[in-house]
């Protein structure tokens, strides 16, 4: 890859990359697909790909696909490039590629002759698939929140992803608003739903450390969030996250901004180690980071 863009062919794409774990990429992107028809903004850089989706200025999600996740990753653009596309169409196209019998690698290029995102199967024994996804000028992200802690000590806890999903699924019955309260004495996380009825789910830290794995809180805090936004943060967690017993980190920041972080493996079962761009052979590099940000309801204050 030339260090000078002027030395490149004007028709050469800015991004050429290959990924050999399409199922995992589908899982990661599906984690932030809470609606059938959903738009996204894709950002390309020398460090990898970031895909952002949001709703109503109250819920935002990001998928971080670092360059080490790709078998090949060459970026020749200047700075960071951004474009909009249909998340549903992108996921559906990748799903078609993942149905190939031998799960061949997929090459991704941008831009095509008409600014498309181009997908092509690589080294498939049975067929060669090719897809073009129309892109557009990206919508302005309505908020790009600089997440900050309220004080020096972060207010955060880590829980098994399956447990968090089950708790939020159970809270669907009460109604549209969920209170999350954290208290240091006794160290507890409480989810409380009020609406058609009342339902409360408690995670006491000392009572079951296998349930609530990490807990950090030096004062009581309490905020309310719309249920539909909270549920979107776990509704499409892939089954692989449950099987691998992965963890989810939840942090309450300044003003009640909620940050929820998942880890999704992009490795297939039995996938051999590969020499990534950094020269290493660690399979742990095949992890996509998923982050959700949820704004609290406006009439809530820190307790």
């Amino acid at each position: 890859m030339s260090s000078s863009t002027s030395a490149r062919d004007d028709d050469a794409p800015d991004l050429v990359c290959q990924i050999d774990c399409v199922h995992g990429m589908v899982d990661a992107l599906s984690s932030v697909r809470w609606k059938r028809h959903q738009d996204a903004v894709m950002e390309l850089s020398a460090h990898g790909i970031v895909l952002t989706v949001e709703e109503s200025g109250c819920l935002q999600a990001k998928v971080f696909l670092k360059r080490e996740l790709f078998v090949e990753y060459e970026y020749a653009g200047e700075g960071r490039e951004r474009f909009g596309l249909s998340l549903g169409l992108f996921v559906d196209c990748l799903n078609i590629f993942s149905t190939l019998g031998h799960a061949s690698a997929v090459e991704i290029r941008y831009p095509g002759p008409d600014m498309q995102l181009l997908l092509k199967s690589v080294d498939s024994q049975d067929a060669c698939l090719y897809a073009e996804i129309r892109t557009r000028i990206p919508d302005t992200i309505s908020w790009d929140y600089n997440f900050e802690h309220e004080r020096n000590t972060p207010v955060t806890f880590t829980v098994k992803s399956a447990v968090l999903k089950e708790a939020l699924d159970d809270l669907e019955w009460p109604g549209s608003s969920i209170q999350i309260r954290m208290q240091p004495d006794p160290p507890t996380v409480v989810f409380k739903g009020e609406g058609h009825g009342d339902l409360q789910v408690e995670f006491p830290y000392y009572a079951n450390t296998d349930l609530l794995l990490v807990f950090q809180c030096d004062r009581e805090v309490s905020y309310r969030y719309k249920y539909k936004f909270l549920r979107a943060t776990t509704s499409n967690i892939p089954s692989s996250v449950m099987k691998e017993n992965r963890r989810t980190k939840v942090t309450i920041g300044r003003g009640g901004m909620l940050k929820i972080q998942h880890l999704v493996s992009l490795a297939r079962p039995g996938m051999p180690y590969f020499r990534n761009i950094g020269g290493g052979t660690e399979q742990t590099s095949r992890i996509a980071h998923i982050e959700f940000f949820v704004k609290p309801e406006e009439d809530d204050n820190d307790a």
Side-chain angles (χ1 to χ4, degrees):
M1 180 171 59
S2 172
S3 60
S4 172
T5 55
S6 61
R8 297 191 300 122
D9 185 338
D10 289 340
D11 295 330
D14 291 333
L15 173 71
V16 179
C17 62
Q18 282 189 23
I19 191 162
D20 64 348
C21 39
V22 184
H23 285 288
M25 191 169 182
V26 168
D27 280 349
L29 297 175
S30 296
S31 297
V32 301
R33 186 185 181 186
W34 55 79
K35 294 192 300 186
R36 180 174 178 82
H37 300 291
Q38 195 167 355
D39 295 328
V41 174
M42 185 173 287
E43 182 178 277
L44 313 177
S45 74
H47 303 291
I49 298 172
V50 180
L51 183 133
T52 303
V53 294
E54 66 173 18
E55 182 176 342
S56 305
C58 294
L59 170 64
Q60 186 182 97
K62 292 178 180 287
V63 179
F64 296 88
L65 302 170
K66 58 185 179 180
R67 63 179 292 150
E68 288 82 8
L69 291 171
F70 298 87
V71 179
E72 296 181 9
Y73 192 93
E74 295 185 10
Y75 182 71
E78 294 184 1
R80 298 176 181 270
E81 293 191 45
R82 299 169 73 245
F83 56 87
L85 81 169
S86 164
L87 174 61
L89 183 58
F90 189 27
V91 171
D92 291 344
C93 284
L94 288 172
N95 259 323
I96 294 173
F97 283 90
S98 69
T99 60
L100 291 177
H102 300 285
S104 67
V106 171
E107 180 184 84
I108 301 174
R109 288 176 173 253
Y110 178 83
D114 294 314
M115 304 302 291
Q116 317 100 310
L117 185 69
L118 306 177
L119 309 178
K120 183 176 71 172
S121 60
V122 180
D123 299 329
S124 172
Q125 300 295 320
D126 302 322
C128 180
L129 292 181
Y130 181 83
E132 297 183 0
I133 299 176
R134 182 178 300 172
T135 65
R136 58 181 176 275
I137 297 174
D139 297 329
T140 301
I141 298 296
S142 62
W143 54 289
D144 193 3
Y145 189 79
N146 181 22
F147 189 86
E148 297 177 344
H149 300 296
E150 190 76 44
R151 301 181 186 175
N152 292 333
T153 301
V155 177
T156 183
F157 66 92
T158 300
V159 65
K160 291 181 179 178
S161 303
V163 172
L164 181 62
K165 175 176 171 56
E166 182 179 357
L168 291 178
D169 286 349
D170 288 343
L171 287 164
E172 182 177 10
W173 169 71
S176 61
S177 183
I178 304 297
Q179 178 192 47
I180 299 179
R181 187 176 80 248
M182 292 182 65
Q183 61 186 41
D185 187 21
T188 307
V189 179
V190 179
F191 291 80
K192 185 178 182 181
E194 297 177 344
H196 304 298
D198 295 344
L199 180 64
Q200 183 166 298
V201 179
E202 294 188 8
F203 296 150
Y205 182 46
Y206 291 138
N208 189 347
T209 54
D210 290 333
L211 181 67
L212 200 59
L213 305 166
V214 177
F215 181 90
Q216 189 172 22
C217 177
D218 63 353
R219 67 196 183 282
E220 183 172 326
V221 295
S222 176
Y223 290 94
R224 304 188 70 85
Y225 305 89
K226 287 192 178 298
Y227 176 75
K228 68 175 183 177
F229 296 146
L230 276 184
R231 189 175 184 278
T233 66
T234 61
S235 59
N236 290 311
I237 291 179
S239 59
S240 61
V241 171
M242 311 300 182
K243 293 176 182 177
E244 295 165 8
N245 211 20
R246 291 198 176 274
R247 306 174 176 188
T248 292
K249 183 178 180 180
V250 181
T251 307
I252 299 177
R254 186 181 299 278
M257 179 66 72
L258 190 69
K259 181 179 182 180
I260 298 179
Q261 298 168 283
H262 304 297
L263 299 177
V264 177
S265 172
L266 268 67
R268 300 191 306 271
M271 176 180 284
Y273 290 157
F274 72 104
R275 184 180 184 277
N276 61 36
I277 293 174
T281 57
E282 291 294 331
Q283 183 109 3
T284 53
S285 66
R286 293 178 180 266
I287 297 292
H289 293 256
I290 317 294
E291 292 186 353
F292 287 87
F293 298 90
V294 186
K295 287 184 178 180
E297 294 187 339
E298 293 181 357
D299 57 348
D300 284 321
N301 297 305
D302 197 344

